[in-house]
Amino acid sequence: MQDNNIRSRFIKPSLDPQKLTHFLAVFDSGNFSAAARANNVTQQAVSKSIAKLEEGLGVKLFKRSSFGVEPTIFANALARRAKVIISESRLAAAELSALRGADKGYVRIGVGWSFSPRIAPLMIENFKARNPGITVSITSGDTKTLYQKLMHGDVEFVASAPPTHMQIDSMIELQTLFIDRDLLIMRRGHPLADRKRIPLTELANQTWLISLALTEQWQHICNVFLTNGLQPPANYLDLDSVLLLKSMLLKSDGVALLGTELINVGNERSDYATIDDTEFPIDRKAYIATRAGSPLQPIAKKLRNELISAARHFIEPDLWRGN
């Protein structure tokens, strides 16, 4: 008998979250054995999941080669949707668990460098005072990594100030909070600390402290020198930790381009000198990022509200952009 439901003729497969999890593991790693290890299953189980998925969808998802596998155009299209499906299934399970009283509540979010020194600690303090039975889990890092975790459903939302030219997935919604300003920073006793204006030729001879976690800042520094006909600094120290970078600033005559929120902690601000009148300042918008069309759990909404309140407490009115 002919199926008169037009939609069913085109939308036949059901996307099993487990098969999608295996698919994404292969998609991200480019390797079936690595995907199997990541999911604690056999390689045969992953291969079977992919085969079933390909059969149901009627398309080929990967091209096999001696170097691993390469995603097809169909895999690229499926990956973005698969991340949303998996994240929603995780959140649904967590919300149902909370509703039936199986646990007191759990919420996990991502926090970028601009929120870590002052805003996040006050947010946690206030939230725990009002919700002592809720477990809060926080992961920190660069925005690109945090947004990947957001799309995978590992976090409910992300608070960060991404690089100005970073491409943001259309499935991520942004709520602007404030402006974090990157400035030339050095220790208070640095030989250049009392100068209002420092020529680029002189700054080119300084030792610059950079961080792999802040790659965009270093690219911006190099571009400033190049556009002014100068070679980028030859002396630099490459650190993979923002905290180590800050410590090295205080113990050396190095200079760095950092967001002002990274040094605005208690009396720590007085240990650093900032030089405003240079070609280097960058204004980056700080956002709360959520998955488009995915409502936050009630617990996550409370935590988000506490974060906004904490940000308002610290951020100067002229830098605030939130509603």
Side-chain angles (χ1 to χ4, degrees), residues 7-235:
R7 293 188 70 215
S8 68
R9 291 163 56 190
F10 295 95
I11 310 175
K12 292 181 179 180
S14 69
L15 297 177
D16 178 0
Q18 184 180 47
K19 291 185 178 64
L20 291 180
T21 299
H22 292 169
F23 159 74
L24 284 175
V26 176
F27 183 86
D28 290 336
S29 67
N31 187 286
F32 274 77
S33 59
R37 289 193 299 271
N39 286 275
N40 294 317
V41 297
T42 64
Q43 185 172 332
Q44 183 180 9
V46 173
S47 297
K48 186 176 180 180
S49 286
I50 300 300
K52 288 288 186 182
L53 199 55
E54 291 178 327
E55 180 184 353
L57 294 171
V59 298
K60 204 70 173 174
L61 295 173
F62 297 104
K63 297 177 182 177
R64 276 72 170 179
S65 72
S66 57
F67 299 101
V69 295
E70 293 183 6
T72 65
I73 58 171
F74 304 107
N76 288 324
L78 177 61
R80 294 176 70 248
R81 298 292 179 182
K83 292 174 183 177
V84 175
I85 293 170
I86 292 172
S87 64
E88 288 300 307
S89 65
R90 289 176 180 171
L91 292 175
E95 190 164 1
L96 291 175
S97 178
L99 285 173
R100 73 171 186 265
D103 52 43
K104 293 181 179 180
Y106 172 86
V107 61
R108 179 171 171 80
I109 68 170
V111 172
W113 309 119
S114 297
F115 289 79
S116 298
R118 299 194 298 175
I119 298 171
L122 181 60
M123 171 197 69
I124 296 170
E125 180 183 355
N126 291 341
F127 180 83
K128 291 297 291 182
R130 296 180 177 90
N131 306 274
I134 305 299
T135 298
V136 178
S137 175
I138 293 181
T139 180
S140 62
D142 64 280
T143 298
K144 184 178 180 180
T145 301
L146 293 176
Y147 280 7
Q148 290 173 349
K149 292 182 178 182
L150 176 66
M151 292 303 298
H152 277 90
D154 294 331
V155 295
E156 285 259 21
F157 64 83
V158 170
S160 70
T164 53
H165 301 297
M166 177 178 167
Q167 293 293 320
I168 297 175
D169 195 293
S170 61
M171 301 186 76
I172 292 179
E173 290 183 350
L174 301 175
Q175 177 185 356
T176 306
L177 294 185
F178 60 89
I179 300 296
D180 190 17
R181 184 161 293 156
D182 291 342
L183 295 176
L184 185 66
I185 295 178
M186 59 194 71
R187 65 181 177 86
R188 180 66 64 183
H190 192 286
L192 303 179
D194 295 328
R195 302 266 294 275
K196 292 183 178 180
R197 179 73 182 174
I198 307 171
L200 281 176
T201 52
E202 195 167 350
L203 287 172
N205 295 321
Q206 298 297 310
T207 298
W208 286 77
L209 306 181
I210 65 173
S211 172
L212 291 176
L214 302 171
T215 305
E216 293 78 11
Q217 276 87 338
W218 177 238
Q219 292 174 344
H220 174 66
I221 291 166
C222 293
N223 288 336
V224 167
F225 284 103
L226 290 171
T227 55
N228 284 274
L230 297 171
Q231 289 297 313
N235 299 319

